[in-house]
Amino acid sequence: MSKIVVGNWKMNGSCTLLRDFKDILQYKNFILALPYTLIHLAKTLNTGALIAAQDCSVFCQSGAYTGEISAVMLKDIGAEYVIIGHSERRRYFAECGDTIAQKIENAINAGLQVIYCVNEDYNQQINNEALQFLENIIVAYEPVSAIGTGNVSDADSITQICDAICELGAKRVMYGGSVNKVNIKEIIQVGKLYGVLVGGASLKIDEIADIIKASI
Ligand code: PGA
């Protein structure tokens, strides 16, 4: 069965790079997680692309919160998904617990699909932040040791953790961390996996095209 590929550009990219991605955006199993500034352009390229934001505000709708972007605003601009709880948000912005739970609730209420990221502490994170939402969100397991390091997890350990997260109540589990066009062939063998979350490799057209094709 075809797997979902989520490309996460993080704080990278430009209007020019996004335009170069026009053909890639047409793959039905691909979702691109963009910086806020590029979402509108992605929607106007008319590719039918599925777009994710990389975060949303803990505040609900609108108000005096300078610099914030709410889940409602993301829905309004045409985003379909939002990533919440990425390890980089946890590390650099000290996000955890109630903050993440509130963001998930805001996103669900706004009608966005949530890609909720956990790392090696997945058990504690899920229990503190997402247990009540678990059936309705996508959980992305991304070990910190694998993000941006080249140390991809092997299929056996991905299988094991995917099973453990499903036992907690998740229906859709993805893997992320150093996925590339070579190791995707092994990762994709993990039958239960819903898809992969790809950082660095998603910025290179040829690389992400190979990952998407291997996942169809
Ligand atoms: P990476 O990043 O593929 O560059 O390891 C994955 C992620 O952080 O989502």
Side-chain angles (χ1 to χ4, degrees):
M1 208 177 85
S2 164
K3 310 278 186 191
I4 298 296
V5 177
V6 181
N8 177 11
W9 277 12
K10 309 190 180 187
M11 198 175 77
N12 297 292
S14 62
C15 296
T16 306
L17 185 68
L18 184 57
R19 285 197 185 91
D20 290 345
F21 264 66
K22 200 167 174 201
D23 291 344
I24 304 288
L25 291 174
Q26 299 183 21
Y27 285 100
K28 294 284 169 272
N29 63 327
F30 184 54
I31 299 163
L32 185 55
L34 288 167
Y36 296 133
T37 50
L38 293 176
I39 294 176
H40 180 66
L41 173 59
K43 285 287 152 184
T44 55
L45 287 175
N46 280 328
T47 55
L50 294 170
I51 299 300
Q54 299 171 10
D55 186 33
C56 68
S57 178
V58 72
F59 297 107
C60 246
Q61 204 151 353
S62 59
Y65 306 110
T66 302
E68 287 293 273
I69 305 283
S70 71
V72 172
M73 289 167 162
L74 294 173
K75 183 73 182 172
D76 182 53
I77 204 173
E80 286 90 3
Y81 292 79
V82 60
I83 296 177
I84 293 175
H86 191 282
S87 276
E88 287 149 16
R89 301 292 317 170
R90 295 177 186 274
R91 179 175 175 197
Y92 299 118
F93 304 95
E95 287 187 10
C96 62
D98 291 349
T99 301
I100 291 184
Q102 185 64 55
K103 288 185 177 195
I104 296 174
E105 194 176 325
N106 293 352
I108 292 173
N109 288 342
L112 294 169
Q113 296 249 32
V114 175
I115 301 166
Y116 165 63
C117 296
V118 294
N119 54 40
E120 286 88 339
D121 293 329
Y122 63 89
N123 205 325
Q124 200 191 356
Q125 289 165 340
I126 289 173
N127 275 294
N128 287 342
E129 300 164 350
L131 214 48
Q132 70 272 38
F133 310 113
L134 218 51
E135 274 195 23
N136 300 314
I137 61 180
I138 301 164
V139 180
Y141 169 64
E142 294 202 302
V144 175
S145 62
I147 297 176
T149 60
N151 298 324
V152 69
S153 300
D154 60 56
D156 284 348
S157 65
I158 296 175
T159 305
Q160 213 179 330
I161 292 179
C162 189
D163 285 347
I165 293 174
C166 287
E167 266 168 41
L168 292 170
K171 303 271 183 248
R172 293 172 290 174
V173 181
M174 311 184 83
Y175 168 80
S178 294
V179 175
N180 62 33
K181 65 179 180 186
V182 177
N183 60 35
I184 186 67
K185 297 186 180 108
E186 185 188 340
I187 296 168
I188 225 67
Q189 302 302 324
V190 179
K192 262 199 187 165
L193 213 58
Y194 184 68
V196 287
L197 182 46
V198 186
S202 73
L203 286 154
K204 299 175 203 138
I205 293 183
D206 293 347
E207 183 98 17
I208 196 67
D210 283 355
I211 293 170
I212 295 168
K213 284 179 205 153
S215 307
I216 291 174

